[in-house]
Amino acid sequence: MTATEQRNQAIELAKTDARKALAKARSVSDPWFRAQALSWVARFTDADPQPIAAQAANAAAACDDNYKRSAVRSWEIAALAERKCFGQAKIALRDAVRTARQVQPSASRSEALLLLMQAAFVINRDEAVSVSAELTQCCPIADHWRCKRAITNASQMLEGELEPRNFFW
């Protein structure tokens, strides 16, 4: 079974049986998909989501590059915010943005920051504005078409012309 399939099984279980989903999520072989699965469990568990979100952060830290280590934390941040753990979500966001600043090349950095900005919207608009400013500052549109697209999309989200992604459904 692929890591994607393992993650998808954990996601389906998260909606109905958080205990089984947690066990399944912990066993996902790839750290990116494990972080996503654990974030889903944190979002849907009846228990305190913060210890599970911490496991998602640890899985993200095990990823093999800064893009993955930062971008995948978007699910964790959104889960914490949806569960009203705003203080922890803000701490996680700041940590993920610090890592995202180190992503090379700038095209990948812009993608990571755009994902984090969308998760920041779940906390509040001010947090999204802050990440958008970071995106604009460290991903010049002249660097790459992805930088230009990310900045354009961020602007459209802030103007209400484009909806941020939904991390959980």
Side-chain angles (χ1 to χ4, degrees):
M1 180 179 303
T2 68
T4 307
E5 292 167 333
Q6 293 171 327
R7 178 205 56 196
N8 292 347
Q9 283 184 346
I11 285 171
E12 283 307 309
L13 276 172
K15 300 171 193 174
T16 58
D17 191 334
R19 192 176 58 72
K20 285 183 183 175
L22 182 57
K24 181 70 74 177
R26 286 175 174 155
S27 72
V28 174
S29 57
D30 181 89
W32 172 281
F33 296 114
R34 185 168 56 252
Q36 287 180 326
L38 287 162
S39 296
W40 273 79
V41 177
R43 168 59 184 86
F44 287 99
T45 187
D46 290 333
D48 180 1
Q50 293 181 78
I52 301 168
Q55 292 177 50
N58 288 337
C63 287
D64 61 7
D65 65 44
N66 283 329
Y67 170 80
K68 293 176 186 176
R69 284 190 283 271
S70 60
V72 78
R73 296 210 52 200
S74 300
W75 281 263
E76 167 205 346
I77 293 160
L80 286 165
E82 285 191 20
R83 293 296 306 277
K84 311 298 185 219
C85 300
F86 296 113
Q88 192 59 39
K90 288 177 185 180
I91 291 167
L93 177 64
R94 282 172 184 64
D95 186 51
V97 167
R98 268 192 304 276
T99 303
R101 284 185 199 126
Q102 301 169 29
V103 172
Q104 293 296 333
S106 61
S108 296
R109 185 180 326 120
S110 70
E111 297 290 331
L113 287 167
L114 184 62
L115 264 176
L116 290 167
M117 181 199 158
Q118 292 175 85
F121 263 109
V122 185
I123 300 170
N124 63 48
R125 189 177 191 286
D126 288 344
E127 294 296 328
V129 168
S130 176
V131 179
S132 176
E134 188 75 37
L135 170 64
T136 302
Q137 177 185 355
C138 68
C139 302
I141 59 173
D143 275 8
H144 195 276
W145 66 265
R146 285 188 176 169
C147 296
K148 183 176 181 179
R149 181 186 65 190
I151 291 169
T152 300
N153 287 351
S155 176
Q156 290 171 328
M157 287 177 208
L158 291 172
E159 295 300 318
E161 298 167 6
L162 183 65
E163 286 292 315
R165 75 170 293 143
N166 192 3
F167 290 90
F168 307 101
W169 52 89

